[in-house]
């Protein structure tokens, strides 16, 4: 009986197990069907999300392209022009501030001076700011305001036509004029003399001016003209005498002869004999034409040397035996007609007063000079527009200065909050960039969801209890999303439809405005 009952119980248990197995199979079959539906839906939505992502990327790219073109073709050039115009105006304003500092004039006179420098830079290939720097130096050197433009023009031409810079010429020639008490209206003659001597002698204009400055004091005292002083300076530098040594040495000769003539000294006859004159003739010529008498003395030394005479003891007797003085005289004496020709060239150039202009005109014809003039014109035009910008720029600077001053007085707590807000502002662009990257990643996310569904199907073939339980949980979550998917997708697609319309309308509006602007630019150029 027990055996029968035992067998009955076993059969019952087997039947129950069979039922449970069939139920498990049915449940697994249902789970598999659900998983297939979810996978199919995920594939379907993946395609939709991919399309959405593509449209978002396309819209973003179009907006980026429009913005880039507007920036490159309009914003950047206009900003560059604005900055360039303001900078030109600021540069000229700063340069003319130097003239204001050294020149005493009324506002009307300053206005005329400023315009004079601007007009000058249209004719002379030197930057407007450099010309104003010469004007500033002129004021420092005592040039009268009515002569500043003429003086600056001469120095500018010397800067172009010679190896002197404009400022170097201004400094040196103004000092020479102060020494010799030359009228300030004669600077153009002085410039012509320097250029003519530089073109005919084995020396440079800078060396002529430097030697002339060394001779100017003694030369002026004995009655030599500016042209004669420069002529002697050019001749001395042509025979290789340095300005420091030669200027001092020849000044010593001038002063020694002058002392003998004025005091009728015992060496007057010796000077006269070497010059080929009587003492009286030499003294009279010295008083009326010191340069001619000095030239006669130098040429007399040359004749004595050519005749084989030893002139060194004679120079010792005349108190001119010091090594530098003797060397300068002997070099000058051996130069033949160099000093006479130099005097003739210098005097002629002073009278004709055209050498500087002729030389400058030739220099102005060069391509480099023409490019400089073009640059000057462009900067002047830019400055006229920049002048309009300066008042608002100055006003902005004042406002910012007041603001910064107020910020510096804030309490520590306020400063901490300000720094925090600025940090948030700085973090905002990266956050937008991250959001954009997230949109680009949506297709990858949907592909990942599809892969998850495939993974769930694979796990179904592994009859492990924990895995089955996990699958069940995932399926439950997926089912919840799936059952409400129509609602989610409806509202999502509705939102996208509205967003798409708005974005596309914005793009069309920007493109239309851009095309209109491109059509307007040529007419703007014509108006300008």
């Amino acid at each position: 009986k027990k055996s029968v009952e035992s067998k009955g119980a076993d059969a019952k248990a087997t039947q129950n197990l069979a039922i449970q197995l069939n139920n498990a199979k049915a449940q697994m079959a249902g789970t598999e069907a659900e998983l297939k539906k979810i996978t199919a839906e995920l594939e379907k939505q993946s395609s939709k999300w991919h399309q959405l992502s593509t449209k978002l990327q396309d819209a973003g790219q179009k907006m980026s392209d429009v913005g880039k073109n507007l920036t490159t073709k309009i914003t950047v050039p206009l900003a560059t022009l604005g900055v360039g115009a303001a900078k030109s105006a600021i540069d000229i304003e700063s340069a003319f501030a130097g003239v204001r500092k050294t020149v005493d004039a009324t506002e009307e006179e300053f206005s005329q001076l400023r315009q004079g420098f601007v007009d000058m830079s249209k004719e002379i290939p030197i930057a407007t700011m450099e010309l104003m720097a010469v004007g500033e130096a002129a004021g420092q050197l005592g040039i009268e305001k009515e002569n500043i433009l003429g003086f600056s023009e001469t120095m500018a031409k010397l800067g172009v036509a010679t190896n002197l810079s404009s400022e170097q010429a201004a400094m040196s020639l103004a000092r020479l004029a102060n020494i010799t008490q030359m009228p300030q209206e004669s600077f153009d003659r002085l410039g012509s003399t320097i250029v003519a001597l530089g073109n005919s002698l084995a020396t440079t204009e800078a060396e002529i001016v430097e030697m002339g400055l060394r001779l100017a004091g003694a030369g002026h005292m004995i009655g030599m003209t500016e042209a004669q002083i420069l002529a002697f300076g050019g001749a001395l530098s042509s025979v290789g005498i340095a300005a420091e040594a030669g200027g001092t040495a020849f000044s010593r000769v001038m002063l020694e002869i002058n002392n003998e003539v004025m005091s009728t000294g015992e060496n007057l006859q010796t000077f006269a004999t070497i010059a080929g004159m009587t003492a009286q003739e030499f003294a009279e010529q010295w008083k009326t034409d010191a340069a001619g008498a000095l030239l006669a003395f130098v040429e007399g030394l040359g004749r004595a040397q050519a005749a084989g005479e030893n002139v060194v003891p004679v120079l010792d007797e005349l108190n001119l035996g010091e090594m530098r003085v003797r060397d300068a005289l002997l070099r000058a004496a051996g130069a033949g007609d160099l000093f006479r020709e130099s005097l003739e060239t210098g005097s002629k150039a002073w009278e004709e007063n055209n050498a500087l202009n002729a030389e400058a005109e030739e220099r102005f014809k060069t391509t480099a000079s023409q490019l400089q003039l073009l640059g000057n014109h462009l900067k002047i035009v830019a400055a006229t527009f920049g002048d309009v910008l300066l008042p608002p720029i100055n006003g902005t600077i004042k406002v910012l200065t007041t603001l910064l001053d107020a910020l510096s007085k804030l309490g520590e707590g306020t400063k901490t909050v300000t720094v925090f807000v600025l940090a948030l502002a700085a973090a905002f662009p990266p956050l937008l960039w991250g959001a954009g990257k997230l949109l680009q990643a949506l297709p990858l996310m949907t592909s990942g969801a599809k892969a998850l569904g495939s993974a769930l199907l694979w796990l179904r073939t592994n009859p492990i209890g924990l895995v089955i339980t996990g699958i069940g949980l995932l399926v439950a979550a997926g089912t919840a999303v799936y059952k409400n998917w129509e609602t989610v997708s409806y509202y999502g697609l509705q939102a996208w439809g509205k967003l798409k319309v708005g974005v596309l309308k914005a793009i069309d509006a920007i493109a239309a405005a851009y095309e209109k602007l491109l059509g307007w630019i040529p007419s703007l150029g014509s108006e300008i």
Side-chain angles (χ1 to χ4, degrees):
K1 182 176 180 180
K2 286 183 180 180
S3 176
V4 171
E5 288 176 357
S6 176
K7 288 181 179 179
D10 290 340
K12 184 72 172 178
T14 300
Q15 185 178 7
N16 290 335
L17 288 172
I19 292 171
Q20 290 176 8
L21 178 61
N22 289 334
N23 289 337
K25 287 182 178 180
Q27 289 176 0
M28 290 302 297
T31 300
E32 182 178 358
E34 289 295 328
L35 286 174
K36 285 182 179 180
K37 289 180 181 180
I38 290 173
T39 301
E41 189 62 34
L42 286 173
E43 289 178 351
K44 179 180 177 182
Q45 297 307 322
S46 173
S47 175
K48 292 181 178 180
W49 276 110
H50 180 72
Q51 293 174 9
L52 170 61
S53 177
T54 301
K55 290 178 180 179
L56 285 173
Q57 289 177 342
D58 289 344
Q61 187 62 49
K62 288 179 181 179
M63 294 180 72
S64 176
D65 291 343
V66 171
K68 183 177 180 181
N69 285 328
L70 287 171
T71 300
T72 303
K73 297 179 180 178
I74 298 175
T75 306
V76 172
L78 288 177
T80 302
L81 285 174
V83 171
K87 186 180 184 304
S88 296
I90 291 170
D91 288 344
I92 292 177
E93 181 187 49
S94 298
F96 194 69
V99 179
R100 286 179 169 274
K101 182 179 67 176
T102 62
V103 178
D104 184 17
T106 65
E107 284 303 316
E108 182 180 355
E109 290 170 331
F110 276 132
S111 178
Q112 292 172 353
L113 275 176
R114 188 181 189 278
Q115 189 59 46
F117 283 117
V118 168
D119 293 340
M120 195 185 302
S121 67
K122 296 177 182 179
E123 304 294 333
I124 299 177
I126 293 180
T128 311
M129 287 72 70
E130 292 183 35
L131 291 173
M132 290 180 176
V134 175
E136 178 182 352
Q140 288 177 320
L141 295 166
I143 304 300
E144 298 169 356
K145 60 188 175 186
E146 57 268 22
N147 295 319
I148 284 179
L149 288 176
F151 174 84
S152 300
E153 181 178 357
T154 298
M155 300 309 120
K157 289 179 179 178
L158 283 170
V160 174
T162 72
N163 68 328
L164 288 161
S165 70
S166 297
E167 291 189 42
Q168 180 186 2
M171 192 69 68
S172 299
L173 298 192
R175 287 173 177 172
L176 191 148
N178 287 337
I179 293 170
T180 63
Q181 296 298 298
M182 183 191 80
Q184 293 185 357
E185 294 81 2
S186 298
F187 276 109
D188 53 345
R189 295 182 181 276
L190 198 62
S192 289
T193 303
I194 293 168
V195 169
L197 290 170
N199 288 340
S200 61
L201 298 174
T203 185
T204 66
E205 293 85 2
E207 290 174 317
I208 293 170
V209 171
E210 188 177 5
M211 184 70 83
L213 271 174
R214 301 277 179 173
L215 298 173
H220 176 63
M221 193 189 76
I222 66 174
M224 290 174 67
T225 66
E226 289 79 13
Q228 290 171 337
I229 291 171
L230 290 172
F232 267 95
L236 285 170
S237 59
S238 292
V239 295
I241 300 175
E244 294 86 352
T248 302
F250 242 76
S251 293
R252 169 87 176 273
V253 173
M254 294 176 186
L255 295 175
E256 195 66 39
I257 296 175
N258 190 67
N259 184 56
E260 292 297 315
V261 169
M262 295 304 168
S263 63
T264 316
E266 59 182 9
N267 289 328
L268 176 59
Q269 184 58 57
T270 305
F271 281 115
T273 300
I274 293 173
M277 306 178 193
T278 65
Q280 184 179 356
E281 289 172 341
F282 185 79
E284 288 177 356
Q285 183 170 7
W286 182 266
K287 292 175 183 178
T288 57
D289 180 16
L294 180 59
L295 177 61
F297 172 70
V298 171
E299 290 179 338
L301 283 176
R303 288 192 298 269
Q305 278 186 305
E309 296 181 24
N310 183 8
V311 298
V312 173
V314 177
L315 294 177
D316 288 335
E317 180 185 341
L318 295 173
N319 297 319
L320 301 176
E322 193 270 327
M323 186 174 66
R324 288 187 176 182
V325 177
R326 184 179 64 212
D327 179 61
L329 279 171
L330 293 178
R331 288 196 190 196
D337 294 333
L338 175 65
F339 280 78
R340 184 173 294 278
E341 291 172 357
S342 181
L343 279 171
E344 291 174 356
T345 299
S347 298
K348 182 179 180 182
W350 180 278
E351 291 299 325
E352 293 179 350
N353 192 23
N354 58 16
L356 176 58
N357 287 334
E359 182 77 11
E361 286 173 4
E362 289 301 316
R363 298 283 184 175
F364 293 172
K365 294 177 183 177
T366 64
T367 303
S369 294
Q370 292 300 310
L371 287 173
Q372 179 63 57
L373 288 173
L374 175 61
N376 290 351
H377 277 79
L378 289 173
K379 200 168 187 70
I380 291 167
V381 171
T384 59
F385 285 94
D387 287 338
V388 179
L389 297 174
L390 292 188
I393 288 175
N394 287 325
T396 303
I397 291 172
K398 290 179 181 177
V399 171
L400 289 176
T401 302
T402 305
L403 176 62
L404 292 173
D405 183 58
L407 288 175
S408 68
K409 297 176 182 177
L410 291 175
E412 291 301 319
T414 307
K415 289 179 182 177
T416 302
V417 172
T418 303
V419 171
F420 177 71
V421 172
L422 291 175
L424 286 179
F428 186 66
L431 286 175
L432 288 181
W433 178 84
K437 290 299 181 183
L438 183 60
L439 285 176
Q440 292 180 354
L442 283 176
L444 296 177
M445 293 170 65
T446 53
S447 297
K450 180 180 177 182
L452 175 63
S454 300
L456 292 176
L457 288 174
W458 178 81
L459 287 174
R460 178 239 182 253
T461 63
N462 293 269
I464 302 173
L466 293 175
V467 174
I468 294 298
T469 303
I471 290 174
L473 293 173
L474 290 173
V475 168
T479 301
V481 174
Y482 171 70
K483 286 182 177 180
N484 295 282
W485 182 254
E486 290 186 2
T487 302
V488 172
S489 62
Y490 172 76
Y491 286 111
L493 291 174
Q494 243 192 357
W496 162 244
K498 292 180 180 180
L499 177 64
K500 179 177 66 174
V501 171
V503 169
L504 294 179
K505 283 184 177 180
I507 292 173
D508 290 341
I510 292 171
Y514 178 52
E515 290 177 2
K516 184 176 181 181
L517 186 60
L518 285 179
W520 172 70
I521 287 175
S523 63
L524 174 64
S526 300
E527 291 297 324
I528 292 175

